[in-house]
Amino acid sequence: MKSLFTRFVRSEDGATAIEYGLITALISAVIIGGGLTLGNALNGTLSSTAEHLQNSQ
């Protein structure tokens, strides 16, 4: 029983999988945040351009 517990404590397979999962989640959050920010900026730019085009006619 002591050998099983010692082997469980020393095993790093689960920790590595959790670390990869956390890194993947962080990268996904950054990509989603960047996409939302870019989308909002692009929406504002296009709306402003459309408004200027309508006012110039």
Side-chain angles (χ1 to χ4, degrees), residues 1-44:
M1 185 69 173
K2 184 178 178 183
S3 172
L4 179 65
F5 181 74
T6 304
R7 194 173 57 202
F8 175 74
V9 171
R10 290 186 180 171
S11 176
E12 296 183 4
D13 292 339
T16 302
I18 291 172
E19 289 169 355
Y20 284 132
L22 290 173
I23 290 169
T24 303
L26 179 63
I27 291 171
S28 299
V30 168
I31 290 172
I32 290 170
L36 290 174
T37 303
L38 179 64
N40 289 336
L42 186 59
N43 185 27

